[in-house]
Amino acid sequence: MNKWIILILMVVTVTHQLTAQDNIGKKNKIFNNFHSYNTIQLLNGRTTSAFAVNSVNGLQFGKFFTGIGTGFDYYYHTSIPLFIEARFDLAKPKGKFQLFANGGINFPFTAQNKKFEFKTGPYKTGGFYTAGIDYLIPVKNEAVILGAAFTYKQVIQMVDNNVWNPILNRPENIPIKEQYSLNRIAIRLGWMF
């Protein structure tokens, strides 16, 4: 957990330093390579649909981009993903095609299971992965993002399970680990600057 906090602090510090240098008026090649990909996604799974909002901030080096992202994912159980993303420019006709993939962890945001309210117990962090393709339509130095992706979200709940303990002559809670693997198709719309 401490590794993730250190990584986030490093990204925030680098971003702040790059912004401060640009405000001084100096031309900074690294700052010119900074991009922010902000998307709204319609998530379609086997039984339901929901949406997600993500923001990825990082640096472009030639055809490669890497950055750190976060957002809100409202599919099945509201969560906050924290992930590292990599992108590769495929072709540059009028717009630009990009392949991307990301991976990270998924923090639970709410404590109640809205699908099965009778299941009580805390949630744990799970995995989060996405792979897809985006088409960037240029608008001056920025771009509109249209894309599609396959995304995986893991939700883990330690469900309360009260059983009778004959030795203690009372009920005892022995939690059951329930793990949900949620595969979704995402339709993406966003803005890159």
Side-chain angles (χ1 to χ4, degrees):
M1 186 65 168
N2 290 335
K3 293 177 188 176
W4 287 105
I5 293 171
I6 291 169
L7 181 64
I8 291 170
L9 288 174
M10 287 176 35
V11 169
V12 169
T13 303
V14 168
T15 305
H16 176 71
Q17 291 296 326
L18 295 175
T19 305
Q21 289 178 10
D22 188 56
N23 289 339
I24 294 171
K26 296 178 181 177
K27 282 287 186 187
N28 189 335
K29 188 172 181 167
I30 293 175
F31 184 77
N32 291 338
N33 292 333
F34 174 82
H35 294 294
S36 181
Y37 292 82
N38 304 289
T39 58
I40 297 173
Q41 304 173 35
L42 175 61
L43 304 171
N44 297 303
R46 182 178 292 169
T47 59
T48 188
S49 294
F51 73 96
V53 178
N54 284 344
S55 179
V56 179
N57 299 288
L59 298 173
Q60 181 89 30
F61 299 101
K63 291 187 172 194
F64 296 97
F65 168 87
T66 187
I68 189 165
T70 189
F72 280 97
D73 187 326
Y74 294 97
Y75 190 89
Y76 184 77
H77 183 77
T78 304
S79 61
I80 300 172
L82 178 64
F83 54 90
I84 295 175
E85 183 165 291
R87 291 177 168 268
F88 178 73
D89 293 347
L90 286 178
K92 286 188 177 182
K94 186 176 180 182
K96 177 173 28 176
F97 281 102
Q98 288 185 335
L99 282 178
F100 70 93
N102 61 46
I105 55 178
N106 199 30
F107 295 98
F109 186 68
T110 58
Q112 185 179 6
N113 188 332
K114 293 181 182 176
K115 298 289 183 188
F116 303 103
E117 292 183 7
F118 63 91
K119 292 184 179 181
T120 59
Y123 283 88
K124 304 290 183 190
T125 58
F128 181 83
Y129 311 100
T130 305
I133 188 165
D134 282 342
Y135 181 68
L136 278 63
I137 303 167
V139 180
K140 296 184 181 179
N141 293 333
E142 300 174 356
V144 174
I145 302 168
L146 299 173
F150 171 79
T151 179
Y152 167 83
K153 173 181 174 178
Q154 183 181 51
V155 176
I156 300 170
Q157 183 180 16
M158 301 303 290
V159 178
D160 293 334
N161 180 33
N162 293 314
V163 294
W164 185 259
N165 186 335
I167 296 171
L168 299 175
N169 199 23
R170 64 183 168 121
E172 187 176 1
N173 184 20
I174 301 174
I176 298 172
K177 181 179 181 179
E178 290 199 2
Q179 184 171 320
Y180 303 97
S181 297
L182 308 169
N183 298 316
R184 299 91 47 92
I185 299 294
I187 308 299
R188 301 162 49 87
L189 176 64
W191 188 256
M192 185 276 292
F193 60 90

